[in-house]
């Protein structure tokens, strides 16, 4: 199975900050890496697919980069509604594992 | 507008079988290019991908659950189902049904709202 690690596990940031979250795979997943946002009591929401493609309706302050085994999600200009947990997921090879998540909290 | 909705018992006794159904609206389960997934989330924890069905009944399961899981589809009712046998407290979780799309790198673009299933001893 492909293992995904995310760092940091949590971070505190202020509105307007730029934050960068990382996801590392135990082996290459090419560009088949996706990012989701989840708020308490809600289903996850797709933000970025295939490493760097912004999903429909997602604000442009979200961006993704990377390939192979190292990926980043950047939020430029954090807004109050962005405080949530972010998960990465690989869709390169089954089982299609998720990372443990990064919780973004208000400073 | 694609919608997915889980339904099924919220409480299952230990050693019994967990059964959930996902009703799909806005798209046919027979549409090509989609995979129909089950994913779970233990309370306060991360996401665990369980498996999916695709292309008229083909399935793929995560190895750790493969011996206990069956995912099936009913195209006449436009739904798919999850069966998990011999459940224990470790199977207590929110269960999500979800669609993944080949056009989006097999990412999950639509999710159900989730169904909490508690396993009682």
């Amino acid at each position: 199975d492909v293992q995904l690690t995310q760092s940091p596990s949590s971070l505190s940031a202020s509105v307007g900050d730029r934050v960068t979250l990382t996801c590392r795979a135990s082996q290459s997943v090419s560009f088949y890496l996706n990012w989701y946002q989840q708020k308490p009591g809600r289903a996850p929401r797709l933000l970025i697919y295939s490493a760097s493609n912004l999903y429909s309706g997602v604000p442009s302050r979200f961006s993704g980069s990377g390939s192979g085994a190292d990926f980043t999600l950047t939020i430029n200009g954090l807004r109050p509604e962005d405080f949530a947990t972010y998960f990465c997921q690989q869709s390169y090879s089954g089982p299609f594992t998720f990372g443990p998540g990064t919780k973004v909290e208000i400073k | 507008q694609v919608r997915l909705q889980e339904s099924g018992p919220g409480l299952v006794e230990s050693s019994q079988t967990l059964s959930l159904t996902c009703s799909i609206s806005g798209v046919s389960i027979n549409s090509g290019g989609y995979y129909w997934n089950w994913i779970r989330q233990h309370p306060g924890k991360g996401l665990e991908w369980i498996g999916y069905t695709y292309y008229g009944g083909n399935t793929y399961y995560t190895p750790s659950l493969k011996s206990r899981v069956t995912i099936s589809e009913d195209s006449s009712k436009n739904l798919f189902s999850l069966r998990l046998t011999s459940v224990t407290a470790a199977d207590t979780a929110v269960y999500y049904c979800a669609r993944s799309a080949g056009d989006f790198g097999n990412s999950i673009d639509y999710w159900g709202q989730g169904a909490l299933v508690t396993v009682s001893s």
Side-chain angles (χ1 to χ4, degrees):
Chain A
D1 299 3
V2 177
Q3 307 299 319
L4 297 178
T5 57
Q6 290 186 243
S7 60
S9 57
S10 65
L11 66 89
S12 295
S14 300
V15 172
D17 284 354
R18 179 186 187 194
V19 299
T20 299
L21 285 58
T22 65
C23 178
R24 176 163 289 175
S26 59
Q27 63 189 72
S28 175
V29 296
S30 185
F31 53 85
Y32 289 93
L33 193 286
N34 313 302
W35 290 95
Y36 303 87
Q37 176 194 67
Q38 187 180 34
K39 297 181 179 179
R42 304 288 298 274
R45 166 197 178 198
L46 178 63
L47 300 175
I48 301 288
Y49 66 94
S50 300
S52 61
N53 294 280
L54 193 68
Y55 185 64
S56 175
V58 176
S60 59
R61 63 181 179 273
F62 292 92
S63 63
S65 65
S67 65
D70 292 297
F71 301 88
T72 60
L73 173 70
T74 300
I75 311 172
N76 276 301
L78 204 61
R79 293 181 59 86
E81 58 266 34
D82 300 336
F83 293 95
T85 300
Y86 294 82
F87 295 96
C88 58
Q89 182 222 11
Q90 64 84 17
S91 51
Y92 178 71
S93 67
F96 301 104
T97 44
F98 291 86
T102 293
K103 187 173 184 178
V104 177
E105 299 176 300
I106 301 174
K107 182 182 287 185
Chain B
Q1 176 79 355
V2 175
R3 290 194 63 189
L4 303 169
Q5 177 68 58
E6 305 90 350
S7 59
L11 187 64
V12 180
E13 289 190 7
S14 183
S15 80
Q16 298 302 302
T17 297
L18 179 160
S19 296
L20 291 171
T21 294
C22 181
S23 298
I24 305 165
S25 59
V27 63
S28 170
I29 196 170
N30 291 323
S31 300
Y34 300 125
Y35 300 78
W36 304 97
N37 303 259
W38 287 99
I39 295 152
R40 70 181 181 179
Q41 187 168 34
H42 295 101
K45 302 295 183 182
L47 298 158
E48 180 181 19
W49 183 82
I50 298 171
Y52 61 36
T53 184
Y54 64 101
Y55 297 151
N58 294 293
T59 54
Y60 185 93
Y61 306 129
T62 192
S64 63
L65 296 173
K66 186 176 181 179
S67 64
R68 298 195 291 130
V69 170
T70 303
I71 297 175
S72 58
E73 60 179 61
D74 186 336
S75 57
S76 68
K77 296 180 180 178
N78 211 36
L79 58 80
F80 63 108
S81 301
L82 171 71
R83 290 184 75 250
L84 182 65
T85 62
S86 305
V87 296
T88 69
D91 295 308
T92 293
V94 174
Y95 287 77
Y96 293 101
C97 62
R99 184 186 86 168
S100 52
D103 283 349
F104 299 117
N106 295 329
S107 62
I108 299 170
D109 60 346
Y110 285 96
W111 299 71
Q113 65 183 24
L116 174 61
V117 179
T118 301
V119 177
S120 66
S121 55

